[in-house]
Amino acid sequence: MKASRVEFLRLFGGTTLLTRQVASELFRPPLYPSLVMEQIYQIGIRSIPLVFVTAGSTGMVMALQFGLGLEKFGGKLYIPKIVSISIVREMGPVFTCLMLAARVGAGITSEIGSMTVTQQIDAIRALGTSPIKKIVIPRVLACVIAIPLLACAANFIGIIGGLAVGANDLGLDPVFYIQKVLNTLWLPDLASGLGKTPVFAMIIAITACYFGLNVKGGTQGVGNATTKSVVTSSICILVGDYFLTKFFWILEQCL
Amino acid sequence: MPVIAVKNFKKSFEGREVHRDVTFHVEEGECVGLVGGSGVGKSVVLRSLIGLEKPDSGEIWIEGEEISKLSERDLVKIRRKVAYVFQNGALFDSMSVFSNLAYPLREHTKFNESQIKERIHAQLEEFGLAEAVNKLPSELSGGMQKRVGLARSMMIDPKVILYDEPTAGLDPFNTLKIRETVLRLKKKGVTSLFVTHDMPTAVAVCDRFCLLGDGRVKAEANVDKLHTHSSGDIQQFIDGLDGG
Ligand SMILES: Nc1ncnc2c1ncn2[C@@H]1O[C@H](COP(=O)(O)OP(=O)(O)OP(=O)(O)O)[C@@H](O)[C@H]1O
Ligand SMILES: [Mg+2]
């Protein structure tokens, strides 16, 4: 019990410190835009298939479930509204980020972790360069740029998925469906969903880099760190989601 | 003024004391051999000299500057003049040999691509690695990786070189090549600290020896006094390894 509390404090302190280092080095030259582009490709472009499949099937399943449920009460016409709102406000961004916490988080931690155990991180330092600039910042920036865009695309694909099921299985008119969606969704829905994603992106990137840089104990250590990184960022996303939802809820009430 | 001076260096890992009170210095142009059994903390000393480890207490002076309390950012200028040759090469394994060697040049010099290319080819020729230029580190033998590591740390003409067992695991021919490289750099006035278990090479390149043990420098002796002086401990250590 005590050990886990110490580990928690170490994690909290370590990630805070890393975030601070990232902030202080972010705009101080030399900057490496090409490294950021490379990471956007690795993290963003190469995640597209995963995100599309996740979002598409989420949309389809939700349309089906709501369809079955609402049909009983004759509420089938509300399906476009309910499905699109739940996707845009919650399912799209959060599912995307959870999937990316696994794919991207694991990738970052295992890559940095192997660099740590083979002393490549030390070599970066020994050659007079900064691992924060060379390794951490490109990944953090790539996540913060790519993940919100991916979530945007996920929203779109999710709604299309719902539309496909609505038209095929539930016998809704596609034009009616699209009109309903367009009438329902307005900016606060989109903003409160997508507004969470930069925060989730930070959580994924910082957690993954932290665990990678602090690997101890060889190859097995890399494996352990990767598991911990994915579990930690997933939990932080789920817990953080509650607070962010509440935050945006309060914000919407004020407006 | 010595180029490297370590005073009362103390370092523990997870409650286990590795260094209790290490004190030694290296003068300009000198090559000092740091010897001692496996695990006495030779690599820890070298790492501390470029700020990769922080001492628990004590001082580390590089060219008149106390570095043990410098921040990562301020350590950059130390690391540009002090090269560390990693025990295992520590090459960037997703980059080709060429990119590995280009890394310090691109970071610290204003050379254009063709100058970089020229320098790298000259360096690879020098180290007998010309045919490896486009290979990935994983495609090289251990000895070649080591030599690439050595070549990389020397790309930007460091003033001080810290060698961490540069000849371990090399065949006699390559050992000889490394020995020649070290001597050539020494002639150019480079100051060096040479950690090794390879005593014939150490005796050939070093001016002085420090024997590390029990968390301190147990004995020191000049190489020419090895057989005359009462440098019992070092002589014993060298004979033990040399003969064995
Ligand atoms: N990062 C670290 N964490 C924990 N212990 C460490 C760390 N670095 C070094 N040590 C410990 O410090 C001691 C000295 O290690 P070091 O690598 O300096 O030995 P060495 O003298 O270079 O040995 P060798 O000749 O085998 O290379 C070892 O017992 C090692 O366990
Ligand atoms: Mg060592």
Side-chain angles (χ1 to χ4, degrees):
Chain A
M1 195 58 217
K2 193 162 168 241
S4 70
R5 215 175 304 159
V6 169
E7 199 170 330
F8 174 76
L9 285 177
R10 191 175 292 160
L11 169 68
F12 185 75
T15 46
T16 311
L17 203 67
L18 188 60
T19 313
R20 233 190 58 195
Q21 282 173 318
V22 166
S24 80
E25 300 268 295
L26 193 53
F27 297 111
R28 189 186 299 271
L31 305 173
Y32 303 102
S34 62
L35 292 180
V36 180
M37 294 312 290
E38 193 186 313
Q39 288 305 318
I40 287 182
Y41 174 73
Q42 289 288 345
I43 290 168
I45 313 280
R46 296 189 58 182
S47 298
I48 287 177
L50 174 73
V51 168
F52 278 19
V53 171
T54 314
S57 38
T58 312
M60 288 163 74
V61 169
M62 283 212 311
L64 213 52
Q65 291 282 20
F66 281 125
L68 291 174
L70 291 174
E71 208 160 26
K72 288 182 210 145
F73 311 105
K76 227 166 75 172
L77 299 182
Y78 289 103
I79 290 169
K81 207 176 175 117
I82 295 178
V83 170
S84 60
I85 289 237
S86 9
I87 286 180
V88 165
R89 292 188 77 104
E90 191 62 37
M91 294 309 207
V94 174
F95 269 22
T96 304
C97 289
L98 280 177
M99 294 307 281
L100 292 177
R103 183 191 177 272
V104 173
I108 293 178
T109 305
S110 56
E111 187 187 3
I112 300 184
S114 336
M115 292 184 78
T116 306
V117 298
T118 54
Q119 292 192 306
Q120 292 179 60
I121 299 290
D122 283 339
I124 292 178
R125 294 167 69 200
L127 291 167
T129 47
S130 149
I132 301 288
K133 276 181 185 303
K134 281 263 168 192
I135 303 291
V136 179
I137 288 179
R139 284 163 180 75
V140 170
L141 285 182
C143 281
V144 172
I145 294 167
I147 290 180
L149 292 176
L150 286 169
C152 242
N155 283 345
F156 183 72
I157 299 290
I159 290 173
I160 301 282
L163 171 66
V165 170
N168 273 327
D169 300 332
L170 306 173
L172 292 168
D173 176 32
V175 179
F176 163 80
Y177 196 105
I178 293 169
Q179 265 172 356
K180 268 290 183 206
V181 169
L182 293 178
N183 288 340
T184 310
L185 293 183
W186 61 310
L187 202 62
D189 294 325
L190 282 168
S192 74
L194 293 176
K196 298 169 184 173
T197 53
V199 181
F200 294 157
M202 279 297 285
I203 291 175
I204 293 172
I206 294 285
T207 310
C209 292
Y210 169 79
F211 277 105
L213 290 172
N214 289 287
V215 165
K216 297 232 155 53
T219 322
Q220 199 181 5
V222 177
N224 287 340
T226 307
T227 311
K228 278 188 191 165
S229 156
V230 173
V231 170
T232 307
S233 55
S234 306
I235 290 174
C236 288
I237 287 173
L238 290 171
V239 175
D241 186 36
Y242 170 76
F243 291 102
L244 286 168
T245 308
K246 191 146 190 178
F247 169 77
F248 280 108
W249 185 65
I250 293 169
L251 207 64
E252 277 177 67
Q253 301 222 304
C254 294
L255 290 173
Chain B
M1 180 182 69
V3 174
I4 300 173
V6 174
K7 291 178 190 161
N8 310 112
F9 176 82
K10 198 173 161 142
K11 179 79 185 172
S12 311
F13 287 102
E14 285 138 22
R16 203 171 56 82
E17 197 169 56
V18 176
H19 293 299
R20 192 167 306 146
D21 185 9
V22 175
T23 301
F24 69 93
H25 66 94
V26 183
E27 297 292 338
E28 179 152 17
E30 207 180 14
C31 179
V32 171
L34 194 60
V35 294
S38 190
V40 295
K42 303 180 296 296
S43 297
V44 171
V45 170
L46 291 195
R47 289 166 59 80
S48 306
L49 289 175
I50 52 165
L52 292 179
E53 304 286 354
K54 298 274 179 219
D56 295 339
S57 69
E59 294 169 9
I60 295 169
W61 294 80
I62 303 284
E63 292 201 311
E65 191 172 359
E66 215 280 310
I67 66 147
S68 61
K69 292 183 186 61
L70 291 184
S71 67
E72 277 291 301
R73 203 175 293 146
D74 296 327
L75 280 167
V76 168
K77 62 177 185 302
I78 302 294
R79 291 170 181 165
R80 284 177 64 161
K81 56 187 178 193
V82 183
Y84 178 35
V85 182
F86 282 86
Q87 195 163 352
N88 60 4
L91 300 176
F92 302 125
D93 56 14
S94 54
M95 296 184 192
S96 68
V97 168
F98 183 91
S99 305
N100 265 285
L101 296 200
Y103 185 96
L105 293 177
R106 292 198 174 123
E107 294 299 332
H108 298 300
T109 67
K110 296 205 159 43
F111 292 140
N112 61 32
E113 279 305 303
S114 69
Q115 285 168 313
I116 287 178
K117 213 167 175 175
E118 202 174 301
R119 286 200 63 125
I120 289 174
H121 282 293
Q123 185 83 328
L124 287 175
E125 206 65 56
E126 181 83 52
F127 282 83
L129 291 162
E131 77 285 5
V133 61
N134 288 319
K135 289 196 173 143
L136 286 174
S138 57
E139 297 164 336
L140 303 178
S141 73
M144 282 169 100
Q145 290 184 16
K146 241 177 144 121
R147 279 183 292 148
V148 175
L150 191 62
R152 182 181 65 182
S153 20
M154 291 169 192
M155 284 312 290
I156 52 169
D157 299 327
K159 279 188 195 165
V160 182
I161 302 181
L162 312 172
Y163 300 92
D164 203 343
E165 305 192 20
T167 58
L170 294 187
D171 60 82
F173 175 73
N174 281 313
T175 303
L176 205 63
K177 296 274 285 189
I178 301 272
R179 198 187 287 192
E180 281 165 7
T181 309
V182 176
L183 285 172
R184 178 169 50 82
L185 289 164
K186 197 173 137 189
K187 271 212 191 76
K188 274 174 41 185
V190 172
T191 307
S192 30
L193 192 56
F194 198 87
V195 165
T196 191
H197 294 295
D198 168 12
M199 284 307 143
T201 302
V203 172
V205 300
C206 295
D207 306 309
R208 193 152 59 84
F209 283 98
C210 294
L211 175 65
L212 214 53
D214 306 332
R216 62 194 177 83
V217 174
K218 268 164 79 176
E220 267 186 79
N222 280 345
V223 70
D224 48 354
K225 301 242 177 66
L226 274 182
H227 296 277
T228 58
H229 204 256
S230 58
S231 53
D233 281 342
I234 293 190
Q235 190 56 54
Q236 222 173 347
F237 186 79
I238 290 173
D239 289 344
L241 280 165
D242 207 2

